[in-house]
Amino acid sequence: MEKVGKKLAVLVGCNYENTPYRLHGCHNDVLAMRDVLVNRFGFDSQHIELLMDKSGSPIMPTGVNIKKALNKMVDEAEQGDILYFHFSGHGTLTGKKNQEEAIIPCDFNYITNVDIRKIVNRVPQGATFTILSDSCHSGGLIDKEKEQIGPSHHKPEKNSYVSVPNKSGSTSKSYYSKPKFIPHETILEYLTSLTNINTSNIGTHMLQLFGNDASVMFSLPQLELDLLKPLKQDEGILLSGCQANEECEDVGGIENENKAYGAFSHAILIVLEKNCDPISYKELVMKSRYVLENDEHIKTQHPCLYCSDENAQALFLSQG
């Protein structure tokens, strides 16, 4: 009989409390996903590491702590195991030239697509590593991964207050929709205030502040970065909340933070709730697109799927 593999997860929610970049739904996203992992997909709660930047959290979701949790999960992985990483928080692009995708931990120590690629390259053969990133510019977060569902070439629109119609069709109240995005220039200004170094090279600031714990994108020569690209088909699977040129949205939270959510995380949960049978990665992303297209809270946001042809048709979080 074939051995049934372990199911391991790292769930990260960053609301950036007490900062100008405050979000409201990211903690709710990962708490809701934890329940789904346990109750539907059979994850052991003891094998789920939860990192949230809330007061009293034993481990904050800094760049170092997130990478440490991911590397620990990969270190423990064996053939047949299922690995899952869910990030809900801000995303950005690394600069004006040669833009690369990155997620933003609570200490602003970027985790870039190159860091994610380096981790995915270590996943043992026969194990799968699913990443769901509910953050702006998350398309392409696994560097060099094959696109299965990608850009629709729609231009994103500005986020704003949006009206939510009630069942009769009239407007009942307004929700606040905020992009999960911090502009490169804003982060550069913030980092400069910490380092007092007059340069627009964000890598210089990152290395000054975080040293060897900064993204490998900022420390390795280009030749070595090129060597990180996959030499064979890998088991990385990325479900991104939007295209690389788009923004994900954080919805609600002005009146009741318990009801706030990330639009993509929420769409995935809706699809899973409405589809009790196993569902493929491709079908899950396509149906989440449909949910967002019909959500009046959302302006423009197109989820994407990046993985091998085989994994696109595989069942979401299934050893099947």
Side-chain angles (χ1 to χ4, degrees), residues 14-16 19-26 87-92 104 134-137 156-162 175-183 242 245-252 261-264 297-301:
C14 290
N15 273 347
Y16 313 92
T19 76
Y21 320 110
R22 182 83 158 89
L23 297 174
H24 297 278
C26 302
F87 178 81
S88 183
H90 280 303
T92 194
I104 305 178
D134 190 350
S135 57
C136 289
H137 306 292
E157 301 172 18
K158 290 184 178 181
N159 294 270
S160 59
Y161 282 95
V162 289
Y175 276 68
Y176 184 64
S177 175
K178 180 178 182 178
K180 303 171 88 168
F181 168 63
I182 306 177
C242 62
N245 66 330
E246 290 182 337
E247 298 173 349
C248 286
E249 295 190 40
D250 185 63
V251 180
Y261 56 83
F264 181 49
H297 305 165
I298 308 307
K299 293 296 183 181
T300 304
Q301 182 178 333

Side-chain angles (χ1 to χ4, degrees), residues 113-229:
N113 57 355
V114 178
D115 298 309
I116 299 295
R117 163 52 60 196
K118 185 179 179 183
I119 293 169
V120 169
N121 284 355
R122 297 180 51 239
V123 175
Q125 186 174 0
T128 59
F129 188 7
T130 300
I131 299 172
L132 190 154
S133 188
D134 190 350
S135 57
C136 289
H137 306 292
S138 49
L141 191 58
I142 304 179
D143 193 36
K144 308 295 193 300
E145 196 63 64
K146 183 175 181 179
E147 177 186 295
Q148 298 290 342
I149 302 173
S152 64
H153 305 296
H154 290 292
K155 291 183 178 180
E157 301 172 18
K158 290 184 178 181
N159 294 270
S160 59
Y161 282 95
V162 289
S163 298
V164 182
N166 59 26
K167 292 184 179 180
S168 65
S170 62
T171 299
S172 59
K173 63 183 294 186
S174 291
Y175 276 68
Y176 184 64
S177 175
K178 180 178 182 178
K180 303 171 88 168
F181 168 63
I182 306 177
H184 170 75
E185 293 78 11
T186 300
I187 295 175
L188 184 61
E189 182 179 346
Y190 170 70
L191 296 178
T192 300
S193 72
L194 299 178
T195 63
N196 293 315
I197 298 174
N198 184 20
T199 177
S200 60
N201 185 331
I202 199 164
T204 300
H205 297 290
M206 291 289 182
L207 292 170
Q208 175 69 21
L209 292 169
F210 303 110
N212 293 334
D213 293 324
S215 170
V216 295
M217 174 179 289
F218 305 125
S219 59
L220 291 182
Q222 185 60 48
L223 179 61
E224 291 187 48
L225 291 175
D226 291 340
L227 293 176
L228 288 175
K229 65 183 180 181

Side-chain angles (χ1 to χ4, degrees), residues 275-294:
N275 294 267
C276 297
D277 292 331
I279 186 171
S280 72
Y281 283 93
K282 195 165 189 176
E283 186 179 7
L284 178 60
V285 173
M286 289 304 297
K287 287 189 173 183
S288 72
R289 277 192 168 208
Y290 178 79
V291 170
L292 291 175
E293 286 170 0
N294 289 275

Side-chain angles (χ1 to χ4, degrees), residues 12 17 22 33 40 46 60 81 88 102 123 161 163 172 185 225 240 243 266 269 276 284 315:
V12 178
E17 296 183 353
R22 182 83 158 89
M33 182 54 73
R40 173 164 177 169
Q46 293 185 339
M60 296 295 281
D81 288 355
S88 183
V123 175
Y161 282 95
S163 298
S172 59
E185 293 78 11
L225 291 175
S240 67
Q243 298 165 186
H266 187 62
L269 293 171
C276 297
L284 178 60
L315 299 179

